[in-house]
Amino acid sequence: MSEEKNLNNESPLSLLIHRRLSRRQALQYGLSAFLASAMPGLGQAETLKGLIGFKAIDIAHLIDEVIVPEGYDARIFYRWGDPVSDGPSFKIDASNSAQEQLQQAGMHHDALQFFPFPTSLEQEQSNHGLLVMNHEYIDPQLLHADGGFMDSPESYSAEKVKKEQYAHGVSVIEIKKTEDWQIVRPSTYARRITARTAMSVSGPVAGSDFIRTSVDPQGKEILGTLNNCSNGKTPWGTYLTCEENFNGYFQLATAEMLDERQRELMQRYELGTSYYGWQQHDKRFDLESEPNEANRFGWIVEFDPFDPASKPVKRTALGRFAHENVAHKVAKDNRIAFYSGDDAKFEYIYKFITEKSWDGSLGAQNGQLMDEGILYVAQLNENGSGIWLPLVFGEGKLTSEAGFSDQADVLVHARLAADYLSATPMDRPEWITVNPDSGDVLVSLTNNSSRGQQDKPNAHSANPRANNQFGHIIKITEQDASSTHFNWDVVVLAGDKQSDSTIRGDQYANPDGLMIDKRGVLWVQTDVSSMRLNTGSFAQFGNNQMLAVDLNTQETRRFLTGPIGCEITGVTMTDDQKTMWVNVQHPGEVPSILKQKGVIKSPQHPNAASNWPDKKPNGRPRSATVVITKRDGGVIGT
Ligand code: FEO
Ligand code: CA
Ligand code: CA
């Protein structure tokens, strides 16, 4: 990073420590009053009663089950390989063809959203709808009988590449509750969107030189979406899927032909090494052949789940980076703000404000609003104030002198543009959620063990730990969604009681998924990596989990623990709050502690420490959605 770029972290360390302590003191002594003021809709009586009624569960240390509190049921609902409609069934030996995978759930379920069918009957709304979810990435060793390119390069084939691409993307399934929740099969709404589905491009980057390729010389149509991590919903009822670690799909054999600027851009997006080897059979992923293909990913993609024929649209005005998720807030004048974090160490938090207002009568046509507006990046000052800095070509440093040619250039290289504006580098921004009552914006910062190391930014009061193993959550408060100024505070430091955690109640580490429900309960999902899971200072947290936080009292109770090696990611509820769906991603990814001990669940799959959810001897672990209900038919969390 050159000197003229981000100079935001150069405050003297002593000053930072002083500021950090005073913020921490505020946290310890004033937090509940502070949070209670964020929930103006609730009366004193409700505040005192507490929002959480279930009995917390213990940590699960290497237990291979989903566990929920007494009085609740968690049932397996939709696994990798299950048909979306009336297509082919999953074969346990992974012998399903690419064409079959195209009609089945993808791998590695991530965020999900429930879309009720439009009806005026409140009861009906919570009994029938579409469940839409992301399939973030794949494990080739489980997807194919003899593994992927890294395992068996000699048998890697165009068919395998296709199967891997079809196991990515999004599922739309129709679901209905009669006695219990079921997937409707066949369904005319059922749909798979994959890494090969044709999509259009809108906004300033559409048609620009940056995204023109040999198969798409106009830069108007992109095949597929990649690494769909978390998601969002628009106020007009469409689904937004976020492209996160797209960089790992592209191979660059040599950087020799690149000029200095091209090298800088590739490095800033960590491009060049492919995880899977698709470039062997699909030239799109060979950056030497198609240097612009990587510019066609890293976007937020919108589609209407109720229109199965609708073509997804890459909304480029929202910038290109490793989008974790997207949350929105409606301004007083009905313009919409979209918030999205860039999940990598020392990356930034962004907000896009539409130029025009949302018109409820236009339905899905409101999507065009996302094509005009301003993308901002957050600068968090040490004193608790902050500013949204506009990423606009020609303004400030974003000129031809800095190497930018136009607004498309600024958006395609949003990370670099944000560096020039001295945005605040954060500890891996994961999910963002908006409090439906107060409008407060919560951001989980999952971890960053590199802060304070040589040549890396020192602790900042918004990222106050030099070696942030456990993660934290901050809150951004604004007058209105259209505001360009804000205040921020650290709302919780995760981790253990022996260190500096400020959790009240059950402890956890590495917050990732966040959702505030209609009652004001914050659901926190964790993602401790398998390197650390169940070992050392992380053993005390057990398997990955989901907790409920009463935002009035800050009380935190553990609600769900996942099977061995999994991450818990993705949560959605019906409007009546009586059904919840949660995704269990990469069960069986081997925690390093089990690798060391040589413990495996399934001899045929030396890289699987679980055979959840099927529990068949030698069965493969499968990412899956679980549906959670309360036995007395009540609201989840009470
Ligand atoms: Fe896909 Fe940052 O988690
Ligand atoms: Ca995540
Ligand atoms: Ca994560």
Side-chain angles (χ1 to χ4, degrees):
M1 205 180 272
S2 73
E3 289 235 317
E4 69 206 302
K5 288 189 215 162
N6 203 337
L7 302 174
N8 202 32
N9 304 288
E10 314 245 323
S11 315
L13 191 60
S14 58
L15 192 62
L16 286 173
I17 290 168
H18 171 76
R19 285 173 182 164
R20 174 186 162 184
L21 282 179
S22 49
R23 295 199 73 72
R24 292 263 315 282
Q25 279 156 1
L27 262 174
Q28 279 159 9
Y29 304 118
L31 195 63
S32 53
F34 184 61
L35 287 163
S37 72
M39 297 293 300
L42 292 171
Q44 185 70 11
E46 197 160 353
T47 302
L48 291 174
K49 202 173 79 194
L51 298 171
I52 305 176
F54 63 88
K55 183 163 174 274
I57 58 169
D58 291 335
I59 68 158
H61 190 68
L62 296 169
I63 295 172
D64 204 22
E65 295 288 353
V66 168
I67 300 170
V68 288
E70 237 172 79
Y72 284 83
D73 288 313
R75 185 167 64 86
I76 309 301
F77 194 66
Y78 182 60
R79 301 159 293 186
W80 157 51
D82 283 344
V84 289
S85 184
D86 54 354
S89 305
F90 178 73
K91 292 180 185 158
I92 195 153
D93 60 355
S95 62
N96 287 110
S97 66
Q99 206 53 38
E100 287 172 336
Q101 173 63 75
L102 179 60
Q103 302 164 68
Q104 299 170 331
M107 265 194 153
H108 288 14
H109 300 30
D110 206 299
L112 73 177
Q113 296 276 352
F114 177 70
F115 288 83
F117 276 99
T119 161
S120 53
L121 297 170
E122 204 173 316
Q123 184 56 29
E124 193 56 27
Q125 270 189 17
S126 294
N127 286 343
H128 190 197
L130 302 178
L131 195 61
V132 187
M133 76 181 69
N134 290 344
H135 302 288
E136 189 181 27
Y137 66 104
I138 56 161
D139 181 341
Q141 292 189 330
L142 298 175
L143 186 69
H144 310 293
D146 62 344
F149 178 59
M150 304 298 177
D151 312 294
S152 331
E154 63 295 337
S155 70
Y156 201 57
S157 61
E159 164 77 6
K160 278 191 174 180
V161 171
K162 256 191 197 171
K163 187 173 180 188
E164 294 182 7
Q165 293 174 341
Y166 288 153
H168 278 74
V170 181
S171 280
V172 180
I173 51 174
E174 183 180 346
I175 60 173
K176 194 166 187 162
K177 187 181 176 190
T178 44
E179 283 291 285
D180 206 345
W181 283 95
Q182 302 296 337
I183 299 172
V184 177
R185 293 180 173 116
S187 164
T188 52
Y189 295 96
R191 182 175 188 187
R192 279 299 319 284
I193 286 168
T194 74
R196 298 176 71 92
T197 303
M199 320 210 156
S200 52
V201 197
S202 70
V205 180
S208 72
D209 287 347
F210 299 100
I211 61 164
R212 295 183 180 197
T213 63
S214 56
V215 293
D216 178 28
Q218 303 293 311
K220 289 285 170 68
E221 187 181 77
I222 295 174
L223 288 186
T225 183
L226 288 177
N227 210 263
N228 304 83
C229 181
S230 178
N231 60 18
K233 242 180 184 176
T234 61
W236 46 92
T238 55
Y239 184 78
L240 300 172
T241 182
C242 295
E243 298 180 335
E244 191 190 16
N245 299 310
F246 65 93
N247 55 313
Y249 293 77
F250 298 91
Q251 185 70 27
L252 184 64
T254 167
E256 266 171 32
M257 79 291 190
L258 302 180
D259 64 28
E260 203 186 324
R261 175 75 171 174
Q262 287 170 319
R263 278 182 209 203
E264 182 186 26
L265 295 172
M266 289 252 182
Q267 271 173 13
R268 193 64 189 81
Y269 281 85
E270 297 177 75
L271 281 156
T273 310
S274 148
Y275 309 138
Y276 302 121
W278 292 358
Q279 72 282 354
Q280 299 288 324
H281 298 282
D282 188 344
K283 286 295 164 210
R284 291 199 286 149
F285 297 94
D286 174 357
L287 288 175
E288 250 179 294
S289 308
E290 287 293 356
N292 284 344
E293 189 69 20
N295 292 338
R296 295 150 67 89
F297 298 87
W299 304 106
I300 290 177
V301 183
E302 183 192 23
F303 73 92
D304 180 359
F306 289 107
D307 179 0
S310 62
K311 194 172 180 180
V313 188
K314 299 211 177 192
R315 298 286 182 195
T316 64
L318 280 75
R320 173 173 166 265
F321 49 90
H323 286 279
E324 175 75 18
N325 84 331
V326 57
H328 74 264
K329 191 157 82 174
V330 182
K332 289 193 183 87
D333 61 6
N334 275 347
R335 286 185 294 154
I336 311 295
F338 292 96
Y339 303 82
S340 188
D342 184 351
D343 180 9
K345 287 179 182 177
F346 306 111
E347 289 300 342
Y348 308 129
I349 299 169
Y350 296 80
K351 161 175 162 173
F352 175 80
I353 307 177
T354 61
E355 188 179 307
K356 298 193 182 116
S357 297
W358 165 45
D359 179 346
S361 67
L362 293 178
Q365 282 176 43
N366 279 294
Q368 291 170 17
L369 289 178
M370 298 177 82
D371 298 333
E372 287 176 56
I374 296 177
L375 180 66
Y376 298 85
V377 66
Q379 187 179 67
L380 292 84
N381 302 319
E382 294 287 357
N383 67 1
S385 68
I387 181 163
W388 293 109
L389 303 162
L391 294 171
V392 176
F393 175 72
E395 282 187 21
K397 290 183 177 167
L398 304 183
T399 60
S400 52
E401 276 153 42
F404 294 103
S405 54
D406 54 17
Q407 185 61 18
D409 197 352
V410 167
L411 293 167
V412 170
H413 304 115
R415 281 184 172 174
L416 200 73
D419 293 342
Y420 277 99
L421 299 185
S422 299
T424 302
M426 306 299 288
D427 288 350
R428 293 192 51 203
E430 294 252 27
W431 287 40
I432 300 180
T433 188
V434 174
N435 188 318
D437 272 2
S438 64
D440 291 344
V441 177
L442 297 192
V443 185
S444 60
L445 299 151
T446 196
N447 61 49
N448 184 351
S449 52
S450 304
R451 190 172 284 279
Q453 285 180 5
Q454 206 182 4
D455 302 329
K456 299 289 187 217
N458 282 323
H460 176 287
S461 54
N463 300 279
R465 288 161 162 166
N467 175 15
N468 188 5
Q469 294 188 82
F470 296 138
H472 62 290
I473 301 175
I474 64 163
K475 166 159 119 167
I476 290 172
T477 320
E478 305 167 302
Q479 281 218 313
D480 185 62
S482 64
S483 301
T484 52
H485 289 78
F486 59 88
N487 291 312
W488 63 267
D489 210 333
V490 175
V491 292
V492 71
L493 295 171
D496 62 357
K497 303 271 157 34
Q498 287 75 43
S499 63
D500 52 355
S501 159
T502 58
I503 294 170
R504 289 187 185 174
D506 293 336
Q507 59 194 19
Y508 61 88
N510 303 140
D512 187 342
L514 296 179
M515 181 189 77
I516 302 177
D517 71 19
K518 278 160 75 177
R519 298 189 308 126
V521 175
L522 168 67
W523 298 89
V524 179
Q525 302 181 312
T526 72
D527 177 19
V528 177
S529 74
S530 51
M531 274 280 289
R532 301 191 175 97
L533 206 53
N534 307 105
T535 187
S537 57
F538 286 84
Q540 60 188 321
F541 306 110
N543 296 3
N544 277 311
Q545 56 194 280
M546 183 170 77
L547 306 100
V549 183
D550 180 332
L551 283 180
N552 297 331
T553 61
Q554 268 290 282
E555 194 207 340
T556 303
R557 285 191 208 176
R558 189 174 296 106
F559 180 80
L560 175 148
T561 56
I564 294 174
C566 82
E567 161 185 352
I568 300 297
T569 180
V571 51
T572 190
M573 291 169 101
T574 48
D575 271 9
D576 66 8
Q577 312 266 287
K578 291 177 177 173
T579 305
M580 173 185 267
W581 290 269
V582 169
N583 273 337
V584 175
Q585 191 191 74
H586 64 73
E589 192 176 285
V590 189
S592 56
I593 182 102
L594 292 187
K595 245 180 218 165
Q596 288 155 18
K597 288 183 186 167
V599 174
I600 46 169
K601 259 283 180 345
S602 164
Q604 282 183 0
H605 309 295
N607 285 313
S610 162
N611 52 15
W612 186 89
D614 302 344
K615 299 276 176 173
K616 291 192 176 147
N618 293 339
R620 283 150 213 263
R622 301 161 76 184
S623 290
T625 307
V626 295
V627 57
I628 298 168
T629 46
K630 205 175 172 202
R631 276 182 212 144
D632 67 5
V635 167
I636 307 294
T638 55

